[in-house]
């Protein structure tokens, strides 16, 4: 393991102009295809946690990949935070800003017990809009966010700062 | 472990009339929240496999949950099969029927090497439309599908029969 996870960085592919011109898309699908790289990613995400949380929360849809594997690795349950309208039970929802307009994230109102310690996981933090919405949902359910854990952080977009302003500890394995 | 996985069945919640009247929605989020239930699900999915595949393929989005944890458990890479338009690289796509109209699943054209053995994973098989499309994508890439593995099978909708007609072995932990 190198301190800045250059071995994992080498497994991430950059695709220019996706989903639109000017964007450098960091593609984690090449990392996932590499069995050792995927396992190392999960171990290093886990090693960022000071204590074992009660639940891992994953954000729809790429966040599910890392959150599910982490939950299995740590022996915790998994909480799904989804686009509004996808969950069948009673939900609470939070709006977040898109470049044009807004969207909503939701979680089941009974998904975590009051006082539960929940670690938030996603593949990437950009502007932090979805992560802030997810953290607020967890707090509204009476649980606490022990930290937010990302494979990739896009530092220029300042999502980590926005999440820290909510009182959440932020960790990213690889920064661009 | 009971032969018909009644312990896992007890962790699945049924919600009536979602996403529309008359549908009994099998909600796996309650199973995921249970650390022991989730771990047992992954172990039993793995135990359905006669040999270790080269890759686990998960179908967008709930399939990612089980596929990712299985890939970590088995020590394989993970291949993401997504709704068309979500993957950044060059893709191949397959159409499948919806109740009204059609939709398309895609995978990266370079995601698996010719000859690779790929196990297909999703949370649920209903009519089998997405699973058949996913299996065809894997075969088109020159790889072979070692089996299709589901937590839930809805037997009345005959998806397993459709998938078997493609030459794919089908396994479901729990049938309704």
């Amino acid at each position: 393991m190198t301190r800045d996870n250059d071995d994992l960085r080498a497994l991430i592919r950059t695709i220019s102009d996706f989903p639109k011109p000017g964007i450098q898309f960091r593609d984690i699908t090449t990392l996932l295809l590499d069995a050792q790289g995927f396992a190392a990613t999960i171990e290093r995400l886990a090693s960022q946690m000071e204590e074992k949380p009660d639940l891992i929360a994953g954000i729809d849809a790429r966040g599910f990949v890392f959150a599910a594997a982490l939950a299995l690795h740590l022996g915790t349950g998994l909480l799904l935070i989804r686009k509004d309208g996808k969950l069948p039970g009673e939900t609470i929802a939070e709006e977040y800003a898109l470049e044009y307009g807004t969207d909503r994230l939701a979680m089941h109102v009974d998904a975590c017990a009051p006082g539960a310690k929940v670690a938030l996981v996603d593949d990437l933090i950009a502007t932090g809009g979805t992560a802030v919405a997810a953290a607020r949902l967890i707090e509204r359910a009476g649980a606490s966010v022990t930290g937010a854990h990302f494979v990739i952080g896009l530092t220029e977009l300042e999502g980590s700062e926005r999440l820290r302003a909510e009182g959440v500890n932020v960790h990213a394995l690889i920064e661009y």
Side-chain angles (χ1 to χ4, degrees), chain A:
Chain A
M1 174 173 172
T2 57
R3 278 194 66 193
D4 50 0
N5 297 304
D6 277 347
D7 54 339
L8 303 184
R9 188 189 296 265
L11 292 168
I12 293 169
R13 173 166 70 169
T14 298
I15 295 185
S16 296
D17 302 322
F18 185 88
K20 54 188 183 179
I23 306 283
Q24 296 283 91
F25 189 88
R26 309 300 177 176
D27 178 18
I28 48 100
T29 66
T30 38
L31 168 66
L32 299 177
L33 287 168
D34 187 284
Q36 285 189 303
F38 180 49
T41 302
I42 299 306
E43 280 197 13
R44 294 182 205 174
L45 287 169
S47 73
Q48 295 171 335
M49 298 180 187
E50 287 174 19
E51 57 177 333
K52 178 179 160 180
D54 298 313
L55 290 171
I56 302 289
I59 301 177
D60 202 344
R62 284 189 303 263
F64 292 173
V65 167
F66 298 99
L70 257 171
L72 186 75
H73 179 74
L74 294 169
T76 72
L78 174 68
L79 190 167
L80 300 188
I81 295 181
R82 301 211 65 177
K83 311 277 167 59
D84 199 18
K86 293 279 190 183
L87 290 168
E90 189 187 342
T91 56
I92 51 176
E94 279 280 336
E95 206 166 81
Y96 62 93
L98 299 173
E99 195 177 1
Y100 302 103
T102 60
D103 210 340
R104 285 155 65 88
L105 275 186
M107 74 178 237
H108 277 140
V109 67
D110 57 357
C112 55
K117 293 175 183 171
V118 182
L120 189 60
V121 173
D122 207 352
D123 66 322
L124 180 141
I125 181 162
T127 65
T130 52
V132 166
R136 288 179 180 169
L137 287 172
I138 294 165
E139 303 271 357
R140 277 173 61 191
S144 63
V145 179
T146 58
H149 305 266
F150 305 93
V151 180
I152 297 171
L154 303 181
T155 52
E156 275 187 14
L157 298 176
E158 298 185 346
S160 297
E161 286 74 6
R162 283 187 195 96
L163 205 42
R164 286 192 188 104
E166 302 274 321
V168 176
N169 291 317
V170 182
H171 309 267
L173 291 180
I174 299 163
E175 294 191 324
Y176 290 95

